[in-house]
Amino acid sequence: MAQAVPTYALYGEQTYNSVADWLHCESIPARSALFDWEIGAHRHAGLFQILNMTQGRAECLLGERWLPLPPPVAVLVMPGVTHGFRFSPDTEGHVITLLAGQALQMPQAAPELRPLLAQSRILPLPDWAATPVAQAVAAIALDYAGSSPGRLGFIEAQLTVLLITLGRVLAADAEAGRPNRHAAQFRMLLDQHFRSQRGLAFYAGQLGISDVHLNRVCRAALGCSALGAINQRLIAEARRDLTFTLLSVKEIAYSLGFDDPAYFTRFFTKQAGVTPTEFRRRSARHPDRG
């Protein structure tokens, strides 16, 4: 019988008792060292957590999978989500715990935070974000441990800076991911249709983007134009056929959608630097029948 996942306020504690009432902040070593650097699978009812790891090695259980945590990284854990951590003893960073209601109200004032707070996530931090995130977390930790005038207002302001910075990281990841997604879809379409000699307009139409945008996507993700990618796919298949089949050059040309074998020979020679016959001879695997 599977063991039930325990629900804690903070790991190892049954009640939530924070000086700030709605927020708790502690270093990763402060709690993890007490449990031999392993925080077992658990969840929190009504609490939202942000972990910022700046140094060390770690694995994170988020839902059902253990995943590596290369620093600098942030982990956001929604209420009720099973999670756990395994840290190396040299790990540095902090964990901020908020009452879920406090955290989830923030998108009302800053709607751009809705995607960030929509689900639990691991968020690797690029260089431009790692320092401001660490500075905001350190400022929260310092004032949390102190008693300066305006302490809670300062913590709330730094928390806003922290979440907006993380929201910008997520938005940048999404923006950078669009070309990669379109490029992956283009490659799949190319594998299906390259023998039909489809043009750019066909592939762009299938993706719902313009020819110009398809070229931008390919240059960003593949390092060549869309036409270059189409030509590379045709040449790759021609090379395989010349090396591993007994098809004649003429038969290969027709199989790749070329109506004129002589044009195929000129195309292959321009792309590969040698004629199909010479390429086959150099491969020294099969004689040319055509």
Side-chain angles (χ1 to χ4, degrees):
M1 182 176 177
Q3 187 174 2
V5 176
T7 299
Y8 293 125
L10 298 173
Y11 186 76
E13 300 179 11
Q14 297 300 325
T15 58
Y16 181 72
N17 182 20
S18 168
V19 174
D21 293 329
W22 55 273
L23 178 142
H24 180 272
C25 181
E26 65 184 17
S27 70
I28 291 173
R31 189 168 303 263
S32 302
L34 301 175
F35 296 93
D36 198 25
W37 298 95
E38 180 166 350
I39 303 298
H42 66 289
R43 53 182 168 237
H44 304 294
L47 298 178
F48 171 79
Q49 286 193 316
I50 306 167
L51 178 142
N52 173 224
M53 190 174 95
T54 57
Q55 176 183 307
R57 300 182 313 280
E59 291 180 305
C60 171
L61 172 68
L62 203 56
E64 298 180 353
R65 298 175 56 201
W66 283 96
L67 300 166
L69 278 188
V73 66
V75 182
L76 283 75
V77 184
M78 299 296 290
V81 173
T82 299
H83 61 288
F85 299 94
R86 298 170 182 155
F87 298 108
S88 63
D90 62 340
T91 298
E92 297 291 341
H94 287 82
V95 180
I96 297 171
T97 303
L98 307 170
L99 290 177
Q102 186 78 20
L104 300 181
Q105 283 175 11
M106 297 193 71
Q108 296 178 12
E112 63 273 15
L113 293 181
R114 286 196 184 97
L116 180 72
L117 300 178
Q119 65 183 57
S120 299
R121 65 180 77 250
I122 294 172
L123 204 57
L125 300 177
D127 291 342
W128 61 265
T131 297
V133 165
Q135 288 174 340
V137 171
I140 291 170
L142 185 63
D143 259 49
Y144 178 79
S147 56
S148 300
R151 168 172 170 258
L152 296 185
F154 179 83
I155 288 174
E156 189 166 353
Q158 291 298 318
L159 179 63
T160 301
V161 170
L162 171 61
L163 288 174
I164 287 175
T165 304
L166 294 177
R168 288 174 175 173
V169 172
L170 182 63
D173 284 351
E175 186 64 29
R178 287 191 187 98
N180 290 331
R181 286 195 297 273
H182 280 143
Q185 291 168 342
F186 172 61
R187 294 287 289 270
M188 290 176 62
L189 287 168
L190 195 50
D191 284 340
Q192 295 170 21
H193 299 289
F194 72 93
R195 292 183 185 275
S196 303
Q197 296 278 340
R198 302 281 192 169
L200 265 62
F202 167 79
Y203 290 109
Q206 291 291 305
L207 294 171
I209 59 179
S210 69
D211 294 11
V212 172
H213 188 56
L214 176 57
N215 270 316
R216 280 200 297 264
V217 163
C218 289
R219 291 190 187 282
L222 306 178
C224 64
S225 68
L227 180 59
I230 293 170
N231 290 343
Q232 288 174 15
R233 184 65 182 88
L234 285 167
I235 289 297
E237 195 67 21
R239 284 173 167 156
R240 274 194 285 270
D241 288 345
L242 288 165
T243 302
F244 298 110
T245 78
L246 293 174
L247 294 172
S248 69
V249 171
K250 182 184 295 186
E251 289 169 331
I252 291 171
Y254 289 145
S255 75
L256 293 175
F258 289 86
D259 295 330
D260 181 358
Y263 177 72
F264 166 72
T265 295
R266 293 194 297 272
F267 168 80
F268 186 94
T269 303
K270 181 180 179 180
Q271 298 291 326
V274 295
T275 66
T277 301
E278 177 63 13
F279 179 85
R280 172 167 275 173
R281 187 188 68 77
R282 291 182 183 182
S283 71
R285 289 176 181 252
H286 298 285
D288 185 12
R289 299 188 319 162

